[in-house]
Amino acid sequence: MRVKVVGAGVAGLTCAHAFALRGAQVTVVDRRPGSGQGCSWYAGGMLAPWCERESAEPLIVDLGLESQAYWQVAVPDVPNEGSLVLAQPRDRADLRRFSRRTEHYQWLDGAGIAELEPDLAGRFEQGLFFPSEAHLEPRKALAALTRRLVDEHQVTFRFEADGFDEVDDETSAADEADLVVDCRGLAARDTLADLRGVKGEMLVLYSTEVALSRPVRMLHPRIPVYIVPRGDGHFMIGATSIENDERGRVTGRSMLELLGAVYALHPAFGEAEIVEIGADVRPAFPDNLPRLRKRGNTIYVNGLYRHGFLAAPALARRAAELAFDGAYFPEVMDEDHRQW
């Protein structure tokens, strides 16, 4: 089977892998100069299905558990150090509310927090520890997956490809492939009319005064924030969720919120260097759950919202089984309303 995957973000690359594992001849097309340079570029990379369960449907946990296992085999350096959830004393009710909406965690007192993260000693009295969760560095992970696709599976990549915006035309696509897997994210709104954009803003800080071994979530009434260690003194701080599709524009208000939260975690971050600020728009359906949709010779993999790395490998596996085996997955294919 000749398969053309459109989009080289986390959805596209994991789909390319899933189809290549089934013996397909795969070509990946993207309008950007390299893989992982859309929404995936700004992702946090937290493989935290139980933390996400606090605000997401059970489906995200199911997809996330499968995807976490995938990443720990597919790419190198996926630290399995768990996740830590903290709150200021005034927000302790939010911490209790968080705990009631999920499971697979341990309550920690101040000593337990200090044992896990010595640099946070004396700063928090209570926290939630999710020991089975992991995290990765998205840019390194997608670069490694790209190399693996080329070296092990002879996947062809066409970057800055002409006609990218027209690849969903079934006539022209059929000339190049038996099947098209559309992983364009929000760009597929020309075909998936019920997609919407949810902007996320992030920043990267550099500090030699703080060390963390695992992602830390700071609960806050307005904007919960996560801090993900990236190694060598770098920390990714994210992320806002704003209901608009203003790609690339970062607001002062958002930066104040993110910086204020990380400063509350540890005052040393007040002297940290701001290395990078970025934003992009996540694709989401009305219920914030992902979809597989098949139309003619095209399978659409979309709507990953803010669960890209947590959901993409599990969706990719389902897409390949849909194509090769005629499998049907009601959890991501049944819909009350279909809007093409």
Side-chain angles (χ1 to χ4, degrees):
M1 182 184 292
R2 298 172 304 161
V3 176
K4 182 176 184 178
V5 178
V6 186
V10 64
L13 294 182
T14 53
C15 281
H17 195 199
F19 278 85
L21 287 171
R22 296 294 298 263
Q25 178 184 329
V26 180
T27 299
V28 179
V29 180
D30 199 296
R31 58 185 169 186
R32 298 177 178 87
S35 59
Q37 295 188 14
C39 285
S40 302
W41 189 255
Y42 301 105
M46 294 180 298
L47 306 176
W50 298 112
C51 279
E52 289 300 318
R53 179 65 185 96
E54 180 269 339
S55 59
E57 298 292 334
L59 172 62
I60 298 303
V61 175
D62 295 339
L63 298 176
L65 292 172
E66 178 179 344
S67 297
Q68 180 176 338
Y70 168 89
W71 288 117
Q72 290 175 321
V73 173
V75 300
D77 192 20
V78 181
N80 190 12
E81 300 290 343
S83 303
L84 188 60
V85 181
L86 302 173
Q88 295 293 332
R90 66 177 183 274
D91 300 323
R92 196 167 296 165
D94 293 324
L95 193 63
R96 291 193 295 270
R97 189 177 303 112
F98 193 105
S99 72
R100 291 195 296 268
R101 294 176 176 175
T102 186
E103 51 189 310
H104 292 275
Y105 60 83
Q106 304 166 6
W107 277 103
L108 298 180
D109 59 12
I113 295 169
E115 184 177 352
L116 281 180
E117 297 291 359
D119 282 5
L120 301 182
R123 299 199 54 76
F124 298 91
E125 298 175 0
Q126 282 188 318
L128 302 174
F129 177 50
F130 294 79
S132 64
E133 298 186 334
H135 66 284
L136 51 74
E137 212 287 48
R139 299 174 190 181
K140 292 180 180 179
L142 294 189
L145 183 55
T146 299
R147 290 192 297 270
R148 184 171 184 179
L149 290 172
V150 172
D151 296 342
E152 297 181 18
H153 301 288
Q154 292 74 56
V155 171
T156 299
F157 283 83
R158 287 165 39 201
F159 295 118
E160 299 181 297
D162 292 335
F164 180 86
D165 291 330
E166 288 76 40
V167 294
D168 58 320
D169 180 86
E170 294 178 11
T171 302
S172 61
D175 294 337
E176 311 179 37
D178 304 304
L179 178 74
V180 175
V181 183
D182 189 320
C183 301
R184 290 181 294 154
L186 194 61
R189 193 163 48 179
D190 59 359
T191 305
L192 306 177
D194 51 341
L195 271 179
R196 77 186 198 282
V198 181
K199 186 169 73 169
E201 300 153 300
M202 53 75 75
L203 66 153
V204 177
L205 300 180
Y206 172 74
S207 174
T208 59
E209 303 299 317
V210 187
L212 296 175
S213 299
R214 55 191 52 78
V216 177
R217 296 184 185 228
M218 278 288 293
L219 301 186
H220 187 279
R222 290 188 302 277
I223 176 172
V225 169
Y226 51 79
I227 300 95
V228 186
R230 291 280 171 85
D232 299 321
H234 290 82
F235 301 86
M236 186 272 194
I237 317 299
T240 59
S241 290
I242 301 171
E243 292 285 337
N244 67 49
D245 54 7
E246 296 177 323
R247 178 172 275 115
R249 190 174 80 91
V250 179
T251 66
R253 176 183 299 178
S254 295
M255 287 302 99
L256 285 171
E257 296 279 10
L258 295 174
L259 289 169
V262 75
Y263 180 77
L265 179 71
H266 199 295
F269 280 117
E271 299 301 320
E273 176 187 354
I274 299 176
V275 177
E276 179 182 349
I277 296 173
D280 210 330
V281 181
R282 312 171 182 104
F285 290 110
D287 59 3
N288 295 332
L289 294 175
R291 301 281 197 281
L292 291 184
R293 290 174 171 172
K294 190 170 190 301
R295 183 184 186 187
N297 75 329
T298 300
I299 294 176
Y300 297 88
V301 181
N302 215 314
L304 274 68
Y305 184 44
R306 58 190 191 89
H307 305 124
F309 282 80
L310 197 58
L315 284 173
R317 190 262 302 173
R318 286 165 171 77
E321 292 184 14
L322 167 63
F324 280 93
D325 307 326
Y328 186 78
F329 300 96
E331 68 275 18
V332 291
M333 296 176 69
D334 274 355
E335 301 182 73
D336 294 329
H337 303 285
R338 295 184 180 272
Q339 299 180 31
W340 295 102

